[in-house]
Amino acid sequence: MSDIVIIGAGAAGMTAALYALRNGKSVKILEEETFGGQIANSPRVENFPTIKEISGSDFADRLFEQITALGAEFELEKVLSIEKKGNGFAVKTDYGEHEAKSVIVAAGVKHKHLRFPNEEELTGNGISYCAICDGPFYTGEEVALVGDGNTALQYAILLSGYCPKVYVYTLFDRFFGDESLVKTLLAKPNVVWKPNTALTEYIGTEKLEGFRYKENGEIKEHKIGALFVAIGQVPDNKKFENLVALDKDGYIAADESCVTSCDGIYAAGDCRSKKIRQLTTAAADGAVSALAACAYIDKNF
């Protein structure tokens, strides 16, 4: 049995591991994909204290090296559920079961999809949700992007460095991101902004050939082989609702204390109810949740 099982290896989860390990607790981290979380896909981080500039992948690498040097265990497994077991918990995965005295859920969020019929088949075949991962594959080609927030803005700016033309589709006639990013994007000569548009369907079966969209009540068609979807994220917390309360949007109901409705389970990072989702707030949650879990273990075991 581990002292603490942490679900998720993003900034929140790995910071939680750091604080728990430094408090003498054994830690096992369960991650479905790879360590780093969303920040690993960021080309440039400039708002983390003491670090003027760093890539998200380098930030994640450093944190991972730090916690593994302290003894953190890391398993690449998909968590299916958490159940009470004795006076502790059993975290069930697609590979088995892990017992813990306390659990920290730092599962992050998932990308929102447009939910068109052939989206699953076309994902990875012209449709992408990560410009950092897939942008270089389209060097020298025209691409399109849909989204109006900071992630969409950053992706479009990044793509403008690879591609001769980047078409940016937004539902409204404005962006909902940092003004500095908006100015940077609109100053790019190879960026074409398409406001007041709504995508209606994808064209293609085995590979994206384009998409249809509505503009001023008229259905139009854009023939293109690459579309980056950056329309936001959703939590993946339903698997935990047997033990912890969720808010109306599916986030774990927990305030700045990271305490959930179940004693011994804590929530950290983007998966919990919060107004600000940034790298610094994820790290703060990691510290708070770990110290709370350590105090819970010291009191009850």
Side-chain angles (χ1 to χ4, degrees):
M1 174 184 283
S2 302
D3 288 325
I4 303 173
V5 163
I6 298 172
I7 301 171
M14 289 198 288
T15 302
L18 173 64
Y19 274 74
L21 290 162
R22 289 178 61 85
N23 275 270
K25 300 297 185 283
S26 60
V27 173
K28 181 175 290 184
I29 304 176
L30 304 176
E31 169 58 51
E32 180 178 346
E33 297 175 353
T34 187
F35 68 87
Q38 293 185 75
I39 198 61
N41 294 323
S42 178
R44 189 167 63 249
V45 177
E46 298 179 325
N47 58 357
F48 196 83
T50 77
I51 302 176
K52 184 178 180 180
E53 181 179 322
I54 189 173
S55 72
S57 60
D58 284 345
F59 179 89
D61 286 344
R62 290 186 190 182
L63 187 49
F64 184 74
E65 290 170 3
Q66 187 176 15
I67 62 174
T68 51
L70 289 172
E73 295 182 56
F74 180 82
E75 299 291 345
L76 198 62
E77 301 180 19
K78 180 179 181 179
V79 172
L80 304 177
S81 66
I82 307 172
E83 296 180 6
K84 288 286 292 181
K85 188 170 185 178
N87 60 342
F89 301 92
V91 181
K92 297 190 174 183
T93 74
D94 53 353
Y95 280 93
E97 181 178 295
H98 304 274
E99 295 184 9
K101 298 173 183 176
S102 180
V103 176
I104 296 173
V105 181
V109 290
K110 302 290 185 182
H111 293 292
K112 283 185 179 179
H113 291 196
L114 289 170
R115 298 183 180 277
F116 296 149
N118 51 345
E119 189 161 31
E120 184 175 346
E121 291 80 5
L122 295 176
T123 296
N125 294 300
I127 294 175
S128 174
Y129 301 90
C130 178
I132 313 302
C133 310
D134 301 331
F137 295 130
Y138 298 98
T139 299
E141 300 180 29
E142 294 189 356
V143 301
L145 178 144
V146 57
D148 55 20
N150 275 337
T151 298
L153 289 162
Q154 290 174 333
Y155 280 4
I157 292 168
L158 176 70
L159 291 167
S160 70
Y162 296 128
C163 308
K165 191 80 72 176
V166 179
Y167 297 89
V168 180
Y169 287 79
T170 63
L171 189 59
F172 302 102
D173 61 352
R174 58 164 294 188
F175 290 96
F176 297 87
D178 294 345
E179 187 60 32
S180 60
L181 291 175
V182 176
K183 289 180 178 179
T184 298
L185 179 68
L186 297 182
K188 298 286 185 180
N190 60 332
V191 170
V192 178
W193 180 25
K194 303 281 288 183
N196 299 312
T197 54
L199 273 64
T200 59
E201 65 177 307
Y202 296 137
I203 303 170
T205 52
E206 297 180 356
K207 185 178 180 181
L208 182 72
E209 298 172 7
F211 53 85
R212 294 185 177 90
Y213 64 96
K214 183 179 287 187
E215 184 178 28
N216 298 322
E218 180 184 354
I219 297 296
K220 299 182 179 181
E221 191 172 288
H222 190 160
K223 291 285 190 178
I224 201 162
L227 173 67
F228 290 83
V229 180
I231 56 173
Q233 296 125 346
V234 291
D236 185 26
N237 294 326
K238 194 169 180 62
K239 66 187 78 172
F240 310 125
E241 67 179 353
N242 62 311
L243 289 180
V244 299
L246 308 182
D247 68 15
K248 62 181 179 63
D249 297 314
Y251 292 93
I252 296 174
D255 60 15
E256 300 302 317
S257 70
C258 298
V259 173
T260 72
S261 58
C262 180
D263 287 344
I265 299 181
Y266 304 89
D270 290 356
C271 68
R272 78 166 179 87
S273 300
K274 59 194 306 184
K275 291 183 178 180
I276 306 299
R277 291 181 169 87
Q278 291 288 309
L279 181 59
T280 48
T281 62
D285 280 5
V288 172
S289 63
L291 294 175
C294 291
Y296 171 83
I297 292 169
D298 291 343
K299 180 180 178 181
N300 293 281
F301 292 88

